[in-house]
Amino acid sequence: MRMKKAGLAVSIGLLAFTAACSSGGNTTENSPANNPPEKPVEGTDNKPQETGKKVKLSYWTGDRHDQEYITEVIKSFNASNADNIEVELVVKTDDFNQAIDLAFASGQAPDLIRVKENTIQPWVKKGYLEPIDGFLTDELKAKFPVIPDFNQIEGKIYSLPNYGSTLRLVYNKDLFAKAGVAAPPKTLDELVETAKKLTEAGKAEGAYGFALNFKSTQSAMFRSARVIAEANGDGGFGYDFKTARYDWSSYKPIIEAFKKMVDDGSTMPGMESLDIDPLRAQFAEGKIGMYISFSSEPGVYQNQFPAKIDWAAAPVPTTDGQVHGKTSFTGGQWLAINAQSKNKEAAWKFMQYMYGDDILKTYQEKGFGLSMVPSITASAAKPSINGIEGFMPTENDGTWPLDPTSAIKVEGIMATDAFFKYMLSGGNLDEIVNDLNKRYNDALDQAIAAGEVTAEPDPAFDPMTLK
Amino acid sequence: MIRLRQTGFSYLFLLPSFLLTAVLGIYPIGWAIWYMFFDYKGYGTASFVGLDNFDRLLRDTLFWDTVVNTFVYAGGKLLITIPLALVLAVILNRSFRGRSALRAIVFLPTIISSAVMAVVFYMLFNSYNGLLNQYLLKLHLIPERIDWLGPDHAMLTAIMIAVWGAIGNYMLLFLAGLQNIPQDIYESSSLDGASRWQQFWYLTVPMLGPVLQMVIMLAIINSLKGYESIMVLTDGGPIGKTEVMYLYVYKLFFPTPSASFTADQQFGYGSAVGFATAVIVGLVTIVYHLLSRRLNQLQ
């Protein structure tokens, strides 16, 4: 009897285990690794015009700031294209990357996917994306810049650039005026001091000086501390391109400043469970003095959360007030074609339409993003959207090379979590940095030994000469 | 011949369930057990690493923190849910006006998606504009906003939400058990002068023994496995205070992307951690069975 009970308990445990692992199981079963994508595109697909049948395509994106415009664009494509193609737009935000993984695992992936600078590499490795070299004409090749690692991977092009994103300090001008602060902070000390003044001026109405979306520490730190580090000359998310080693000590003054704001009570209560959209909703209501984010914000405050306050964007502060490195102008990719799609030619036709001059120009002019296509930048009018001025690319914006963080397997607590833990509960920051350096460099060494990554020191690396 | 035909039919009837179990149960378990010994990112080739994943597991303080968190979460949820569900079941087993409506209200949270529930609770509990803080402040019950989802209170909040979601289910199971207890026992004990409390403690609880044993076991397993509402509410944060075992396993299989990079899926290590969590849940269940044998004999 006892054995039976023990057996029952073990069975139940195993069932629990199954629940945890079953989705992973499906993933492998259907993963492109097991079903390698068929080779290129030319002439291998169904031709919609020959069959006369409606070709239905689905396009998944994580962008919501441009949803209204893209919906219109797609509607117009569906109504006007001569190939009987109908595109369905699916917008997913917070869980976009997981949704893509799950869709590929279950064989229900969309024909076209919005790829970003942080997803194009892993999705190419996973075999999700189709190279588009076979489709590209000389004219298109000349028009769209090739950015190694960001749209061209191992010699093959997977996407084309539309817009790029700059990173800035976003600030509430009304609260600044109320607190008597004339200009956005230029140094980290000023950032701490300004946050304190803004909180003193706004706390009675529930407004606080500073906030970030710390529900995901990575999302929060990599849109804030990361760009301050870049402006300090220390880009690469802790990776030093000069030495080809990780050195997180460059983040110390930034994390100390963030901690000071938490200790001063200048940060929004509940910041630790805040996602980016609830944060934006609070900023639009005037409850947040400053935060740091991408140039998609003007579109957000125009459409998604209409701002009830006067706001602007400014370059992020640095430790000493001087700019020692260019801040990220991220991008280089937009749409990509699913390697498993049965309608690649139709997908390319839609992609070509989306990359048409009119759409790209309007995209910039409506302020959804800052074009990375030289011919569009030259011909499009200045974006007509509030708040975009501060985000316009300057000589201090550039594209940093790809750091190896995505390709290494770090054991234990991630840098962003360790830093946030320090911000909330204190500790010895030197010890935290030493521990991070050791674990990140160990992981880097292992990845180099396994041939998964190369890391060559570049003593002449100059963060002010990035393109 | 007849016997052979009968056996054949038996196997034929068993076939569908066997196939389902094989495909949905045995295959994934076998898959995960196989990959526990590999390093596999979901693409490229899987490389055999022997016991490296288990070596890492032993050193992985993050995982062991999630084990502690899981026990706090499950323990807290059980300690509140089981007594409360039992008391509610006893009350709602009596006949009074509005009983069915009350039963339905208590049961309602069970049929609401835990993710939806967590979104609603986020609106109630978040400290910057949550309704709970606003009412408590208006009633002057708290001097300033409480950070319900902050490092000090997030686990308590997660437990309260879990209790709210689970209580109706266990109440229903207790109700079913209560309705099997013959009424004449209560009548005769009343004649002997037993008070309501004595009836509850000396009659109801022992008569519910086997049901209690089963309900508590289900509750233990569910509590140890629960992570959906936590994922939506706090995503394991802040600073890992509500990160439970199954959420940790989920994140190894489906890592949270950041603004800068997407971490690789870790099927090998995720399988090893998944196996360890299953062993932990299994061990707890066995220990509970051994300790709860008396409950089964109470009746």
Side-chain angles (χ1 to χ4, degrees), chain B residues 85 89 103 107 167-179:
Chain B
R103 279 184 187 176
F107 186 69
I167 212 156
N169 195 23
Y170 298 120
M171 179 206 71
L172 201 73
L173 294 172
F174 282 136
L175 263 179
L178 285 172
Q179 279 160 12

Side-chain angles (χ1 to χ4, degrees), chain A residues 2 12 16-18 28-29 97 118 125-126 215 218 222 237 269-270 272-274 282 406 409 411 452, chain B residues 27 29 31 39 41 43 59 122 127-129 147 150 221 232 246 257-258 260-262 265 274-275 278 293:
Chain A
R2 199 177 295 175
I12 290 161
F17 181 49
T18 313
T28 309
E29 187 61 11
N97 297 7
N118 62 336
K125 281 190 210 161
K126 290 179 185 182
K215 185 172 181 186
Q218 290 189 24
F222 285 155
F237 309 105
E272 58 277 0
S273 58
L274 212 55
Q282 290 303 305
S406 301
K409 194 172 68 190
E411 289 184 12
E452 289 169 350
Chain B
Y27 173 74
I29 292 175
W31 182 93
D39 180 14
K41 295 171 187 158
Y43 60 88
R59 285 182 283 114
Y122 181 80
S127 68
Y128 53 93
N129 68 352
D147 198 355
I221 295 168
V232 178
Y246 277 84
S258 76
S260 72
F261 70 91
T262 305
Q265 292 165 292
F275 181 77
R293 273 176 303 175

Side-chain angles (χ1 to χ4, degrees), chain B:
Chain B
M1 189 62 195
I2 292 171
R3 197 185 160 138
L4 191 67
R5 188 182 287 177
Q6 278 176 341
T7 322
F9 266 118
S10 307
Y11 281 115
L12 193 67
F13 283 122
L14 274 175
L15 194 66
S17 356
F18 173 76
L19 280 178
L20 279 175
T21 313
V23 174
L24 301 174
I26 298 169
Y27 173 74
I29 292 175
W31 182 93
I33 289 174
W34 175 256
Y35 275 102
M36 284 187 321
F37 306 103
F38 286 83
D39 180 14
Y40 182 51
K41 295 171 187 158
Y43 60 88
T45 49
S47 50
F48 182 74
V49 292
L51 293 173
D52 279 8
N53 285 329
F54 290 96
D55 183 43
R56 179 178 164 193
L57 181 77
L58 293 176
R59 285 182 283 114
D60 187 353
T61 51
L62 286 181
F63 170 69
W64 296 108
D65 286 346
T66 69
V67 176
V68 174
N69 287 343
T70 308
F71 279 100
V72 172
Y73 174 73
K77 183 180 166 186
L78 282 174
L79 282 176
I80 303 171
T81 308
I82 297 297
L84 216 57
L86 182 57
V87 169
L88 272 173
V90 171
I91 294 170
L92 294 176
N93 195 34
R94 297 177 184 284
S95 61
F96 59 89
R97 218 184 144 108
R99 184 177 71 163
S100 303
L102 262 177
R103 279 184 187 176
I105 290 169
V106 177
F107 186 69
L108 204 61
T110 311
I111 54 170
I112 299 174
S113 139
S114 52
V116 172
M117 220 162 75
V119 171
V120 174
F121 274 103
Y122 181 80
M123 291 175 191
L124 291 175
F125 281 99
N126 80 64
S127 68
Y128 53 93
N129 68 352
L131 288 175
L132 184 64
N133 272 341
Q134 287 180 26
Y135 283 118
L136 291 176
L137 280 170
K138 264 186 196 156
L139 296 169
H140 301 288
L141 291 173
I142 51 171
E144 59 179 9
R145 297 171 192 208
I146 294 175
D147 198 355
W148 295 107
L149 301 173
D152 298 334
H153 301 102
M155 182 56 95
L156 184 68
T157 308
I159 290 172
M160 297 316 291
I161 295 169
V163 168
W164 182 82
I167 212 156
N169 195 23
Y170 298 120
M171 179 206 71
L172 201 73
L173 294 172
F174 282 136
L175 263 179
L178 285 172
Q179 279 160 12
N180 280 333
I181 302 176
Q183 281 304 306
D184 46 5
I185 301 179
Y186 290 104
E187 283 162 19
S188 61
S189 67
S190 297
L191 291 175
D192 291 339
S195 67
R196 284 256 170 100
W197 169 250
Q198 283 171 322
Q199 282 182 338
F200 174 75
W201 193 246
Y202 294 108
L203 288 177
T204 309
V205 172
M207 295 295 283
L208 271 181
V211 174
L212 256 177
Q213 190 197 24
M214 188 49 72
V215 168
I216 294 175
M217 190 191 76
L218 286 175
I220 289 175
I221 295 168
N222 280 337
S223 310
L224 290 173
K225 279 174 59 189
Y227 73 96
E228 297 89 346
S229 59
I230 292 180
M231 187 163 78
V232 178
L233 192 72
T234 61
D235 197 25
I239 53 174
K241 292 280 182 185
T242 56
E243 185 101 13
V244 288
M245 290 189 301
Y246 277 84
L247 182 56
Y248 189 67
V249 175
Y250 177 88
K251 285 180 178 174
L252 289 169
F253 280 100
F254 299 103
T256 314
S258 76
S260 72
F261 70 91
T262 305
D264 277 327
Q265 292 165 292
Q266 300 182 46
F267 287 122
Y269 186 56
S271 299
V273 177
F275 181 77
T277 53
V279 169
I280 291 169
V281 175
L283 281 177
V284 171
T285 318
I286 291 170
V287 169
Y288 167 74
H289 259 277
L290 296 176
L291 294 177
S292 68
R293 273 176 303 175
R294 217 178 135 247
L295 273 177
N296 207 2
Q297 290 155 4
L298 280 176
Q299 196 175 19

Side-chain angles (χ1 to χ4, degrees), chain A residues 4 37 61 105 110 171-172 181 187 191 193 202 232 242-243 255 265 316 327 329 331 362 380 394 424 435 455 457 459:
Chain A
K4 269 190 182 170
T61 174
Y171 65 101
N172 175 342
V181 183
T187 66
L191 175 75
E193 205 46 45
N232 277 340
K242 285 183 185 167
T243 61
I255 302 304
V316 294
T327 50
F329 189 25
T362 315
T394 69
L424 292 190
D435 171 56

